[in-house]
Amino acid sequence: MGVSTSSPESPESTGSTGSADPGISVVTVDFPPVNALPVQGWYDLAHAVRAAGRDPATRCVVLAAEGRGFNAGVDIKELRRDAGHASLIGANRGCAEAFAAVYECEVPVVAAVGGFCLGGGVGLAGNADAIIASDDATFGLPELDRGALGAATHLARLVPQHLMRALYYTSRTATAAELHAHGSVWKVVPRAELLGEALALAREIAGKDGTLIRLAKAAINGIDPVDVRRSYRFEQGFTFEANLSGIADRVRNTFGNAIPDTSGQEGSRP
């Protein structure tokens, strides 16, 4: 359980999910049962992705996951066990670091998304350079039903603005086929072929000159119209406000359903 990495020089380190391909590092997340990451898990993931990108032998990173789905966001149970705000602050900072690590990785990152990709999963996939998805993959932000906010920054990189807003406000999901139609998913494949197809794309990328591919990554990030790190941290400020005000607990306790607030008006999800 945890985050493991296979590097071009040590493919045996992750067993069956390792990559023997020159120039490809595979970072694999495995937090049963649903890959909802604890605070330390987000930091471990950030460290693994950054380390892989810094390795001069690496020209492409594949971000993969074991189990039922790609990622289910933060570990809500960990947050509930904390009577204070330390876990919430840790989760906010950890998510920000993991998302930034994918975006700022020195080489391209290919996300292999199978099953559910929710909350923090959208943050990871939305910051990747390319996405291969299984035909059962679904993408969404159930944040409003969990008393939280965030990752609209990254969902907006996957779907058009109005669809992003509708998905965000309703907590609905979009399928891999729908994202493929919008051009944000490179290829949709059967679940059994997911890692192989992700490695095939990574292999094509890794076939380029290592120095030039790093320059290309830096150049493309440099012309990005949105500062994703700043934008996401701005969103997180509202998540913390919702928690401090007690709205987050109220919404989580009612499973996202609106209830009357203290003024007698219908409560809304902030």
Side-chain angles (χ1 to χ4, degrees):
M1 184 178 78
V3 178
S4 59
T5 306
S6 70
S7 70
E9 297 177 349
S10 57
E12 70 281 1
S13 61
T14 59
S16 62
T17 61
S19 167
D21 290 281
I24 301 174
S25 289
V26 180
V27 175
T28 305
V29 176
D30 184 13
F31 284 88
V34 293
N35 281 327
L37 274 58
V39 170
Q40 188 58 49
W42 292 107
Y43 283 107
D44 291 345
L45 177 55
H47 174 75
V49 172
R50 290 192 187 279
R54 286 194 300 266
D55 184 346
T58 299
R59 296 190 294 281
C60 187
V61 171
V62 172
L63 180 58
E66 293 283 359
R68 292 161 51 190
F70 179 71
N71 189 282
V74 302
D75 185 348
I76 298 296
K77 293 181 180 178
E78 182 181 38
L79 300 185
R80 287 176 171 169
R81 288 193 298 267
D82 186 354
H85 298 295
S87 293
L88 174 63
I89 293 172
N92 278 5
R93 291 178 175 174
C95 284
E97 282 305 304
F99 300 167
V102 173
Y103 182 79
E104 297 166 0
C105 184
E106 296 178 28
V107 299
V109 176
V110 175
V113 178
F116 47 80
C117 180
L118 304 173
V122 169
L124 296 171
N127 269 350
D129 294 276
I131 302 170
I132 303 292
S134 62
D135 52 15
D136 66 344
T138 54
F139 300 75
L141 295 178
E143 314 307 278
L144 293 186
D145 288 344
R146 296 175 178 174
L149 297 167
T153 293
H154 312 98
L155 184 59
R157 296 168 65 83
L158 300 175
V159 299
Q161 275 286 328
H162 283 81
L163 178 55
M164 177 275 288
R165 288 170 181 256
L167 291 172
Y168 197 86
Y169 296 147
T170 62
S171 297
R172 293 192 185 190
T173 59
T175 65
E178 289 171 324
L179 264 62
H180 182 263
H182 289 296
S184 51
V185 165
W186 178 258
K187 194 172 186 179
V188 180
V189 299
R191 186 71 171 266
E193 300 174 16
L194 178 60
L195 185 58
E197 288 291 342
L199 287 170
L201 177 58
R203 197 174 297 122
E204 186 174 351
I205 294 170
K208 309 300 181 184
D209 179 85
T211 300
L212 194 59
I213 200 69
R214 289 169 185 269
L215 290 175
K217 176 65 182 277
I220 291 175
N221 278 9
I223 63 171
D224 207 319
V226 175
D227 182 337
V228 292
R229 182 188 276 267
R230 182 202 61 79
S231 180
Y232 177 60
R233 290 297 275 168
F234 178 83
E235 290 186 72
Q236 285 188 319
F238 290 94
T239 295
F240 198 63
E241 180 179 327
N243 276 270
L244 288 178
S245 66
I247 296 172
D249 287 336
R250 188 180 75 199
V251 170
R252 280 195 294 266
N253 291 338
T254 59
F255 301 99
N257 295 315
I259 60 173
D261 63 19
T262 55
S263 66
Q265 298 175 340
E266 184 184 24
S268 61
R269 293 163 238 166

